[in-house]
Amino acid sequence: MGGFPIRRMRRLRSGERMRSLVRETELSASCLVMPLFVRPGKKVRKLIEPMPGNFQLSVDELVKEVAKLDAAGVPAVLLFGIPAEKDSAGTAAYDEAGIVQQAIRAIKKSSPEMLVITDVCLCEYTDHGHCGVIVERRGGKVVDNDRTLELLAKMAVSHANAGADIVAPSDMMDGRVGAVRRALDGAGFAELPIMSYSAKYASGFYGPFRVAAESAPQFGDRRSYQMDPANADEAMREIALDIDEGADIVMVKPALAYLDVIRRAKETFRMPLAAYSVSGEFSMVKAAAANGWLDEKRVVTEILTGIRRAGADILITYWAADMARWLNGNDQ
Ligand code: PBG
């Protein structure tokens, strides 16, 4: 019968060629998306302290970064904006001359092939830092879901007008994918895909991002509209709703602590699936690597391979630039 299967398995694992012949999960630059932060000004590269190697960039600097990513084979960027002025309704988010709208136009001019995905959420644009419009109800402050939908739809259309390739609603309001879909269709963008942050957990791993995007809530937290980390069935329901409303790509976020959710989402829906390896996942490895406690390239390769193995097609990661470089055999 089978002889010595364990010994043969050992053989299959022995040399790099043999190993890659039977490898199940391939990591390649073509599945990476790099998040980038854009702010007003010229020649601005403002270091995001908890995320070494990441900067808030002015548009002129941003296009240089995008050109490098393009050359390294990274196919897409995900844009976040830090506006000059914030207000209670997040007006700068849907201004046709807003910071993200300017950035999209500039990227499309200098690196036309680069796919531009835009984050559609109000939290970077509101002075209170919440993802929607705040109203007083029964003596407390709450997010007005339906009023927020109108603004998100306006924001998505303004990104499409500027040339975005994919819009990515990340706010977790009820009905937002449908609202964005209808608005895009009505504005002549029936073919523009939506990547929905479908299963977005209320996570401590977003800490560094809130420094990066200057979007920490000024009161309360996001638990009324983001998911409880303990729930996975609920994630499947959220994803099903988004697909019903017209999502073309669905997302699980964060990634590392939710690999089971990624796997279930892939097996249940067989949809294009993105996983967002968020800021805190990046920062903790960076901090350990800076102390010499972890080999960064090795653990990042392992983490990103693990997220792919779990079932993600698309990896949104602050390591996109480095990983592409490493995959190209450039360790500098
Ligand atoms: C906006 C948004 C957040 C992230 C992506 N889009 C922050 C939040 O929900 O608080 C987090 C990304 C990261 O941590 O890298 N709503």
Side-chain angles (χ1 to χ4, degrees), residues 22-270:
V22 295
R23 185 165 290 143
E24 300 170 31
T25 309
E26 212 60 65
L27 206 52
S28 89
S30 64
C31 61
L32 301 172
V33 177
M34 180 75 188
L36 292 172
F37 299 90
V38 59
R39 64 171 303 135
K42 281 219 154 43
K43 291 198 164 60
V44 183
R45 287 180 73 81
K46 188 172 173 224
L47 180 68
I48 299 163
E49 224 163 289
M51 301 171 67
N54 288 266
F55 300 84
Q56 293 180 348
L57 302 166
S58 52
V59 173
D60 53 328
E61 293 291 324
L62 180 83
V63 296
K64 292 188 211 162
E65 209 60 42
V66 171
K68 280 192 227 159
L69 289 162
D70 204 17
V74 175
V77 294
L78 173 60
L79 293 184
F80 295 94
I82 298 107
E85 306 276 347
K86 304 190 188 222
D87 60 26
S88 62
T91 313
Y94 35 90
D95 179 349
E96 293 292 335
I99 187 64
V100 165
Q101 290 82 351
Q102 288 176 38
I104 302 165
R105 291 193 173 94
I107 293 171
K108 283 291 154 192
K109 209 184 261 174
S110 57
S111 301
E113 297 291 308
M114 180 58 77
L115 294 176
V116 178
I117 310 173
T118 57
D119 186 76
V120 175
C121 185
L122 296 180
C123 67
E124 297 124 66
Y125 303 89
T126 52
D127 49 15
H128 45 71
H130 278 281
C131 301
V133 180
I134 299 291
V135 290
E136 299 269 347
R137 213 168 276 158
R138 284 182 225 99
K141 292 181 176 172
V142 296
V143 176
D144 184 335
N145 191 91
D146 295 356
R147 174 87 189 95
T148 303
L149 294 185
E150 290 167 38
L151 302 183
L152 293 168
K154 250 170 100 169
M155 183 177 183
V157 170
S158 77
H159 290 172
N161 279 332
D165 296 289
I166 299 176
V167 293
S170 72
D171 52 283
M172 290 296 277
M173 298 300 132
D174 286 340
R176 81 237 199 261
V177 174
V180 166
R181 184 71 273 159
R182 280 189 296 279
L184 288 172
D185 292 354
F189 297 103
E191 285 168 24
L192 197 90
I194 297 176
M195 176 168 88
S196 172
Y197 290 64
S198 305
K200 178 171 178 181
Y201 288 91
S203 171
F205 285 104
Y206 307 150
F209 175 93
R210 292 178 186 171
V211 177
E214 300 178 10
S215 66
Q218 299 305 302
F219 58 87
D221 57 40
R222 301 204 208 290
R223 278 176 227 200
S224 68
Y225 43 97
Q226 296 183 352
M227 288 182 44
D228 180 346
N231 296 354
D233 289 341
E234 186 188 353
M236 298 307 112
R237 294 198 297 275
E238 288 278 5
I239 294 170
L241 285 172
D242 281 6
I243 294 171
D244 256 10
E245 289 179 27
D248 302 284
I249 301 171
V250 293
M251 192 198 299
V252 174
K253 172 185 171 192
L256 207 44
Y258 300 87
L259 294 175
D260 59 317
V261 180
I262 294 172
R263 164 49 62 103
R264 275 182 68 179
K266 189 63 189 178
E267 290 187 340
T268 307
F269 300 104
R270 295 277 154 202

